[in-house]
Amino acid sequence: MTTPVPAVTELPGKPRSRPRRSATLVTGCVLTGLVALLALISVVWLPYEPDDTSGTRLAPPGDGHLLGTDKLGRDLFTQVMNGSRIAWEAGLGSVAIAAVLGITLGVLAAYAQGWLDDTVSALLDILIAFPTLLLAMLIVAARDATLGSAILAIGLAQSAVVARLTRILVKRVLAQDYITAARTSGTSRPRIVAAHILPNIWPTLVVNLALQFGLAVLAEAGLSYLGLGAPPPNASWGGMLQQAQATFTTAPAGAIAPGVLLVVLVVGVNLIADGLRDTLDPARRRSA
Amino acid sequence: MLSYLLRRLGFLLVSLALASVVLFLLLRTLPGDPANALTSVGATPEQIEAARQAIGTDKPVPEQFVHWLSQLATGDLGTSFVSSLPVAPEVTARLDVTLPLTGAAFLLAVLVAVPAGFLAAYRSRTWYGAALSAVSQLGIAVPVFWLGMILIAVFALNLGWLPAGGFPQDGWADPGAAFEALVLPVITVALVMSASLIRYVRSATLDVLGSDYLRTARALGSSFGRAMWRHGLRNASVPVISVLGMELASTLLGAVVVESVFALPGLGSLLATGIAQHDYPVIQGVLFVSTLAVLLIGFAADLVQRLIDPRLRGRLSGGAR
């Protein structure tokens, strides 16, 4: 008689599944998905017209208005839904700009040598020392206070961060033997970048871009709070909060709901970033 | 070490020069003419030209830059386009609010985050270790202005313990009133700051706890406390110090939002007005002073790191990452 051998469900040597960590990813997806759902619905349907001022001013939640109304009688839930869409636009737009510009610059900087390399990294360091919000303020003040300007400004400011990270990652890969081998065998530079460098650095980059998404949403909210975003009824959550600050104690719903959703979305993407880092990056390299 | 100090100081000066050139050019290339902002709507071209001559923006940009630099050499930050008052005293007055705010918030954040981050790592399998990590995860997602709004609503409007905003007209002449005005802003900034600090302290501590040298020290009979004190602290503090430097710098520069929530007359609000009014000398002055502060903070952080970790001494800037 032989003892029954348990069925091999996993290849030997493969790390066991980590349920707690994938829970991070799932929680993140659920939180982010909630806000995404609100945003998607807002494209095709809204409970009220955003500029419909027929409601009672500063009505409490309930009675036809899920979250009550603002000081002009406009439905707050409608504005919150609009805000979800704007938050997604701000996050995706900024990150897209930061990714394209930052990765390109980072790869070029990594290939630069000597004083050019030193100058570029010193400049990037200084740029990064300035908070995204401050750079964005300068750019938005010069253009109009619109969502487009905010996205452009935040994307530009973040591309410095992405560029520095990319430069460090690329330099690390460039020092590997297989790059020397590829180079000596005559592979062209663009091909080395496409076939060897990018596949090696994308997990860390994706994790960082997810974090940048959250930071972009926060930065846009900050800009709108300072009055450098679109005004209500199509305001972002930051603009709504600024409007509601004066009536916090009398009509708290307007000062709480946008903030809660903002936190839900940012926690969501941060959890996704953490989950991705653990899944994609077994060595758990930290992307600062 | 002396040669390192000199090289690092040179790096600081070059960075400062680079930053001021970029700053100056950036402002000059942005669209929008400050002369337009100074004259009333419907001003004649002659009036606009006169305003340009009055503030000196009619001259070529390199000449303006040299003029600004020569003033700077004597500690003069120029004169505001809008108020015609010198910028330097205004900046100094604003620092009376921003420096205590940033400094106190930073100290408080460190006092909270270092023990909390250590506990979150050391006791990561207990409920409070996990709770600490969860709270810091939540904390980094909370916008600083919303936290400020909530604190004002609870502690100023509902409980009436502290003022909801503003700063005494005569500054620190009445230290009690000035202190009271800063309590809520300091707590707001400190909470947001410590949320991200906890994560860095936690991960630095986790690295140390899993390290071979700590295990060896323990195996050789050292107590946990002694092994942490002799080996762990030194190693964990290097990455934390570089993060501390960056956090301090970004808090100093990012004070604009908090100052807006609490209606504080700080450096950030001066900058915000300057930007809104295209007042180049004010923007340049504030950004130059803050750039200098940021570079000095980086300098100090690099120096402390090299005192702690001799392995870094060959490198010019940056810590272990």
Side-chain angles (χ1 to χ4, degrees):
Chain A
M1 278 292 278
T2 50
T3 47
V5 179
V8 177
T9 51
E10 283 175 316
L11 291 170
K14 208 180 150 191
R16 269 174 292 147
S17 62
R18 287 160 285 186
R20 204 173 64 83
R21 284 180 186 164
S22 62
T24 309
L25 200 56
V26 171
T27 318
C29 288
V30 169
L31 293 180
T32 321
L34 272 174
V35 180
L37 199 65
L38 274 184
L40 284 177
I41 295 175
S42 82
V43 178
V44 289
W45 178 82
L46 286 167
Y48 289 84
E49 284 299 311
D51 51 0
D52 177 0
T53 53
S54 64
T56 327
R57 291 177 181 188
L58 291 173
D63 197 25
H65 296 283
L66 194 56
L67 287 173
T69 56
D70 72 358
K71 60 184 176 188
L72 292 178
R74 295 174 296 206
D75 183 52
L76 273 174
F77 192 65
T78 305
Q79 292 188 35
V80 164
M81 283 177 73
N82 258 334
S84 316
R85 198 189 65 245
I86 294 170
W88 271 96
E89 286 169 3
L92 288 178
S94 314
V95 166
I97 294 175
V100 171
L101 213 67
I103 294 175
T104 315
L105 264 177
V107 170
L108 290 178
Y111 267 107
Q113 304 285 325
W115 67 268
L116 186 60
D117 186 25
D118 290 341
T119 316
V120 171
S121 15
L123 267 179
L124 286 179
D125 278 349
I126 296 173
L127 265 179
I128 287 162
F130 283 93
T132 303
L133 195 67
L134 208 69
L135 291 172
M137 272 173 72
L138 275 175
I139 299 174
V140 170
R143 293 167 48 99
D144 302 330
T146 60
L147 181 63
S149 312
I151 292 175
L152 179 72
I154 297 169
L156 285 178
Q158 289 190 327
S159 55
V161 181
V162 176
R164 185 171 72 160
L165 177 67
T166 309
R167 178 183 159 273
I168 295 171
L169 292 172
V170 172
K171 285 229 152 183
R172 204 177 287 166
V173 176
L174 279 179
Q176 302 291 324
D177 287 341
Y178 57 81
I179 298 293
T180 320
R183 211 178 271 158
T184 36
S185 64
T187 316
S188 69
R189 266 189 188 173
R191 178 142 182 81
I192 290 181
V193 171
H196 298 293
I197 294 177
L198 290 181
N200 270 301
I201 65 173
W202 76 263
T204 318
L205 278 182
V206 166
V207 170
N208 188 266
L209 288 177
L211 292 174
Q212 297 298 334
F213 180 97
L215 293 176
V217 172
L218 282 174
E220 197 283 326
L223 274 178
S224 307
Y225 178 81
L226 291 175
L228 296 170
N234 288 310
S236 82
W237 293 328
M240 292 181 65
L241 287 171
Q242 191 240 333
Q243 295 281 316
Q245 185 172 6
T247 52
F248 199 125
T249 43
T250 45
I256 292 175
V260 170
L261 276 174
L262 193 55
V263 172
V264 165
L265 178 60
V266 178
V267 166
V269 278
N270 284 349
L271 287 178
I272 290 180
D274 281 0
L276 280 180
R277 170 159 54 210
D278 295 338
T279 336
L280 297 176
D281 235 0
R284 300 211 58 185
R285 272 172 295 172
R286 230 162 285 111
S287 55
Chain B
M1 203 62 190
L2 184 70
S3 87
Y4 170 74
L5 261 178
L6 287 176
R7 272 192 311 141
R8 187 62 183 76
L9 207 62
F11 178 72
L12 191 154
L13 290 176
V14 171
S15 303
L16 189 64
L18 247 144
S20 20
V21 174
V22 170
L23 194 70
F24 201 90
L25 289 180
L26 188 74
L27 279 180
R28 294 312 192 265
T29 49
L30 287 179
D33 188 343
N36 276 336
L38 283 177
T39 46
S40 51
V41 184
T44 60
E46 290 78 31
Q47 284 172 317
I48 294 180
E49 188 51 40
R52 252 181 224 140
Q53 279 173 6
I55 56 178
T57 49
D58 57 329
K59 301 198 179 71
V61 171
E63 200 183 317
Q64 292 181 42
F65 184 62
V66 171
H67 180 63
W68 182 66
L69 268 191
S70 58
Q71 279 184 327
L72 194 63
T74 59
D76 183 359
L77 289 175
T79 329
S80 160
F81 287 170
V82 179
S83 68
S84 303
L85 291 171
V87 174
E90 184 67 31
V91 168
T92 326
R94 300 301 184 113
L95 281 175
D96 277 354
V97 177
T98 302
L99 280 187
L101 169 65
T102 314
F106 180 71
L107 274 183
L108 188 62
V110 172
L111 286 179
V112 171
V114 170
F118 176 77
L119 264 188
Y122 185 53
R123 290 274 180 259
S124 59
R125 299 220 174 94
T126 64
W127 66 268
Y128 55 88
L132 275 174
S133 305
V135 167
S136 78
Q137 179 75 260
L138 194 68
I140 54 170
V142 174
V144 66
F145 59 87
W146 192 49
L147 184 65
M149 279 171 64
I150 293 174
L151 290 182
I152 290 176
V154 173
F155 293 102
L157 302 179
N158 267 336
L159 298 171
W161 291 352
L162 292 158
F167 197 74
Q169 276 289 324
D170 45 0
W172 287 89
D174 179 2
F179 179 79
E180 268 193 357
L182 285 182
V183 171
L184 280 184
V186 164
I187 293 177
T188 308
V189 177
L191 282 179
V192 170
M193 213 173 174
S194 51
S196 62
L197 274 183
I198 286 177
R199 289 163 65 82
Y200 287 107
V201 174
R202 176 177 175 270
S203 100
T205 314
L206 279 179
D207 283 352
V208 168
L209 289 177
S211 66
D212 292 338
Y213 58 81
L214 197 78
R215 197 182 49 194
T216 309
R218 297 279 282 133
L220 289 172
S222 187
S223 72
F224 175 78
R226 192 175 155 72
M228 271 314 265
W229 180 251
R230 296 255 337 232
H231 308 286
L233 192 66
R234 210 173 238 254
N235 277 291
S237 54
V238 172
V240 171
I241 284 169
S242 85
V243 173
L244 281 180
M246 289 195 286
E247 286 278 332
L248 184 57
S250 71
T251 311
L252 187 69
L253 292 175
V256 49
V257 180
V258 181
E259 285 170 7
S260 155
V261 178
F262 290 95
L264 291 174
L267 210 55
S269 53
L270 181 64
L271 180 65
T273 345
I275 289 178
Q277 297 175 332
H278 288 279
D279 198 346
Y280 293 164
V282 168
I283 307 176
Q284 272 157 216
V286 174
L287 289 184
F288 180 80
V289 169
S290 2
T291 310
L292 183 64
V294 168
L295 291 172
L296 283 175
I297 292 167
F299 181 68
D302 275 355
L303 214 63
V304 174
Q305 283 176 337
R306 270 146 196 81
L307 288 176
I308 292 174
D309 190 345
R311 287 171 300 181
L312 291 172
R313 282 178 200 163
R315 296 170 52 189
L316 186 57
S317 174
R321 288 216 191 106

